[in-house]
Each structure stands twice: as structure tokens, then as C-alpha cells.
């Protein structure tokens, strides 16, 4: 089945620790996105990438980093600089100009 | 910067009631409009989209939305809701050829039996 796989489903971070969330898609989509979902705030864009080896900051990029070394993969690192990382993180992908498809999400919590 | 407003944060309806969820956006140029739904424990799914043409668009599960350019609105409607429509609904916009979406804050719909 084609789709977007996010892992892990749940992740716990200790203070001062960097953690990496995985996002893989086998839809051959050009573009990939990371969103953060908080209760009552909808989805906010963290980073996006329209082609391999290129990415742009979204609206709330501070404290996060990404890479796009392969078309199918777009990992997100939540660094220790992100002071409020507890949230639900969603990865999406699409062909440019078409609706985005979403993964099942990763819930990140702080220990 | 564009913004999307969903004024109904939490809506409670009885089964068979009619539904209308508001969505307004701020951008004045060409827009593409979307409604996504997130059922409990599931990923976000596309309900319907508007790119151009007929401003009344029909989506899955009996939902429809009307694009009114003069009002910068894209309200979601369903004539008769079911218990299974309980979910969170998000309106989203992108502009022209831009790929990134701007989402509203979402509306939580609760349908009671």
C-alpha cells in the first residue's frame, strides 16, 4: 500500500536531548512537510521541502531542523533549543499543486 | 501573510441535524481551498477541495462546501449529520502555485445520538 509512515508513534524526550522523528513516503511525491498540532491551535508549519536537498522554514522553525537527502525521507529533529516540544507532529507529502496526504503522527512528550 | 479563521471551536449536534462550519481566509488573490477531517485516532483525510470552476464543491460522505469569493469564505455543510461524523474539521488555504498550506484552528464536532 502506498502511504506515509511516521515513526515512532510515541516518543519521550529528556531535558536537553535532541530527538529525531522519522517520515517516509512511497508515493513518489515531490514535496514533504512537517506540522505541529497543539490543542486549539490547528496545524502550524515547521519546515517543508519541495525537492531533494532543499528545504524552507515554515512559520515555527525555531528549535527544529530537517534534512532531505532522499526523495522518500524527510526526518525532523527536535533540538534542545525547542523549549516547548510537547505536541503532536504530523508529516505530509504531495505532488506540487495537489492536496497533501498525511501520516498518522508522532506524539512527543517530555520526561 | 494569509490567515484562516474557523469561528466555531466546538459544535454539538444531534443526529440528523444540519451542519454548517464557517471558514474565512484573508488572502485577496487566487486561492486553493481545502477541508480536512481528523476522526478520533486517525490521520488527517481530505474531505473536499476547491481549485477553480463551480464554487459549490462536493466531497466524500455527503459533505459539500461553497466558495464565496466576495466574502472570502469556504463554509462546510452537510444536510444531516451522523454519529460517525464526530471528528475535528480543519479548513486550509494555499495561494497560487505555493505548496504550503495555512490551516485554521479547527472545529471539533460532536454528534450525539
Amino acid at each position: 500500500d502506498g502511504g506515509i509512515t511516521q515513526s515512532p508513534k510515541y516518543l519521550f524526550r529528556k531535558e536537553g536531548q535532541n530527538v529525531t522523528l522519522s517520515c517516509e513516503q512511497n508515493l513518489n511525491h515531490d514535496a514533504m512537510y512537517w506540522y505541529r498540532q497543539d490543542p486549539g491551535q490547528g496545524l502550524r508549519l515547521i519546515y517543508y521541502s519541495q525537492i531533494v536537498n532543499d528545504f524552507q522554514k515554515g512559520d515555527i522553525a525555531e528549535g527544529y531542523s530537517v534534512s532531505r537527502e532522499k526523495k522518500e525521507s524527510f526526518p525532523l529533529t527536535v533540538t534542545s533549543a525547542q523549549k516547548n516540544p510537547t505536541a503532536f507532529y504530523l508529516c505530509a507529502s504531495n505532488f506540487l499543486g495537489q492536496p497533501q496526504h498525511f501520516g498518522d503522527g508522532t506524539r512527543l512528550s517530555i520526561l | 501573510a494569509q490567515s484562516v479563521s474557523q469561528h466555531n471551536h466546538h459544535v454539538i449536534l444531534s443526529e440528523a441535524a444540519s451542519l454548517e462550519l464557517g471558514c474565512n481566509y484573508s488572502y485577496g488573490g487566487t486561492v486553493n481551498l481545502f477541508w480536512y477531517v481528523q476522526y478520533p485516532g486517525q490521520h488527517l483525510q481530505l474531505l473536499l477541495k476547491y481549485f477553480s470552476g463551480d464554487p459549490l464543491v462536493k466531497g466524500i460522505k455527503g459533505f459539500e462546501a461553497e466558495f464565496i469569493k466576495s466574502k472570502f469564505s469556504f463554509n462546510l455543510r452537510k444536510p444531516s449529520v451522523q454519529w460517525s461524523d464526530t471528528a475535528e474539521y480543519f479548513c486550509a488555504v494555499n495561494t497560487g502555485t505555493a505548496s504550503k498550506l495555512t490551516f485554521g484552528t479547527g472545529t471539533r464536532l460532536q454528534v450525539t445520538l
Side-chain angles (χ1 to χ4, degrees):
Chain A
D1 279 344
I4 301 172
T5 302
Q6 290 188 241
S7 61
K9 192 168 183 177
Y10 299 95
L11 187 57
F12 298 91
R13 194 192 90 168
K14 294 180 181 178
E15 295 285 348
Q17 187 180 45
N18 293 354
V19 290
T20 298
L21 284 60
S22 170
C23 178
E24 304 276 331
Q25 54 99 0
N26 60 6
L27 301 166
N28 201 33
H29 285 165
D30 304 300
M32 297 186 73
Y33 311 81
W34 274 105
Y35 294 91
R36 170 181 171 139
Q37 186 178 9
D38 296 280
Q41 296 193 51
L43 279 71
R44 293 180 290 167
L45 183 65
I46 303 172
Y47 269 97
Y48 65 106
S49 166
Q50 296 186 334
I51 56 172
V52 175
N53 293 321
D54 188 44
F55 48 83
Q56 286 78 41
K57 293 182 179 180
D59 300 318
I60 54 165
E62 186 175 349
Y64 299 97
S65 66
V66 293
S67 63
R68 186 89 187 275
E69 296 176 2
K70 299 186 294 182
K71 187 175 185 178
E72 59 270 24
S73 178
F74 192 41
L76 173 74
T77 297
V78 184
T79 75
S80 56
Q82 171 48 242
K83 296 307 177 190
N84 185 23
T86 297
F88 190 52
Y89 290 87
L90 287 167
C91 178
S93 69
N94 68 342
F95 292 116
L96 293 175
Q98 295 301 312
Q100 293 178 19
H101 296 250
F102 286 82
D104 288 337
T106 293
R107 190 166 298 279
L108 176 62
S109 302
I110 301 303
L111 291 177
Chain B
Q2 62 198 13
S3 64
V4 179
S5 298
Q6 292 182 245
H7 303 293
N8 314 107
H9 299 295
H10 189 193
V11 173
I12 302 173
L13 294 173
S14 300
E15 261 204 334
S18 64
L19 170 73
E20 181 159 3
L21 301 183
C23 173
N24 289 91
Y25 60 93
S26 63
Y27 186 71
T30 302
V31 291
N32 300 316
L33 298 151
F34 307 83
W35 276 97
Y36 281 88
V37 61
Q38 189 174 36
Y39 297 105
Q42 296 188 27
H43 62 267
L44 240 66
Q45 301 172 42
L46 181 69
L47 261 185
L48 46 78
K49 64 184 186 290
Y50 172 79
F51 283 179
S52 64
D54 188 344
L56 183 64
V57 292
K58 297 192 183 298
I60 61 172
K61 304 188 181 187
F63 285 92
E64 65 179 30
E66 185 174 12
F67 170 51
I68 303 180
K69 189 174 183 179
S70 61
K71 295 185 177 180
F72 299 89
S73 70
F74 190 56
N75 292 355
L76 181 71
R77 300 195 293 247
K78 186 171 184 178
S80 175
V81 294
Q82 300 174 305
W83 180 79
S84 58
D85 293 325
T86 294
E88 190 153 18
Y89 293 81
F90 295 93
C91 181
V93 174
N94 69 7
T95 57
T97 57
S99 61
K100 59 176 188 169
L101 286 173
T102 299
F103 280 85
T105 53
T107 297
R108 185 172 300 278
L109 172 65
Q110 184 178 348
V111 180
T112 60
L113 295 170

